[in-house]
Amino acid sequence: MTERPMQEPTLLLLTALADAPRHGYALLREIAAISDGRVRMRTGTLYGALDRLLGQGLIEVIGDEVVGGRARRTYALTDGGQAALATETERLRAVVAEAQRRLSTARPRLRGATA
C-alpha cells in the first residue's frame, strides 16, 4: 500500500524548508511566495503543523534565539523530511505527466456536450 498524499500545508512547509532553514515568520512569507499568494497560512496553523512535523521527525529545530525581545526558533528539514518531500514530488510529477498525456490525446469536445 502506498502512503497517503501530503496535505497542502505539509507540502508547502517542507518545500519552504528544502533550500534553507527558516524561522516561523520567514516560513509564512515563503509559503505565500511559493503559492503565489494563494495560501496565507495563519500562525496557529503554522505552529500546529510545525509541532506535528517535529513529532514525525520530518523537521528539526536547529536554533533558538531572541531577536527584538521575541523568541525565534529556526527549523530545518531532516533527512526523513527530504526523503518524504522527494517522494511526494515524484508522485505529483507522475500525476501531472499522466494528466498532460491525456490532455494531449483528448478528443475535442462539442460545445455543451456532457460526459
Side-chain angles (χ1 to χ4, degrees):
M1 178 188 270
T2 60
E3 291 183 27
R4 283 183 26 208
M6 268 183 203
Q7 296 294 313
E8 187 175 31
T10 299
L11 177 62
L12 291 170
L13 277 168
L14 296 182
T15 300
L17 290 169
D19 61 343
R22 290 187 167 82
H23 57 81
Y25 182 68
L27 284 167
L28 292 174
R29 287 192 327 234
E30 197 66 18
I31 287 167
I34 291 166
S35 69
D36 198 24
R38 186 180 52 79
V39 176
R40 297 218 178 259
M41 193 176 285
R42 295 175 186 228
T43 54
T45 302
L46 171 70
Y47 288 104
L50 289 171
D51 285 343
R52 183 176 46 78
L53 295 172
L54 282 165
Q56 293 172 339
L58 300 178
I59 64 171
E60 62 187 344
V61 175
I62 62 164
D64 281 310
E65 61 183 331
V66 177
V67 177
R70 301 183 108 182
R72 179 181 286 176
R73 179 168 278 178
T74 302
Y75 302 88
L77 280 183
T78 61
D79 290 343
Q82 289 177 335
L85 181 58
T87 297
E88 183 67 1
T89 300
E90 284 306 311
R91 185 192 71 77
L92 291 169
R93 189 182 327 270
V95 170
V96 168
E98 181 62 13
Q100 288 173 326
R101 185 191 70 75
R102 289 176 182 230
L103 284 169
S104 70
T105 61
R107 296 185 311 247
R109 295 180 62 113
L110 297 177
R111 185 176 252 176
T114 59

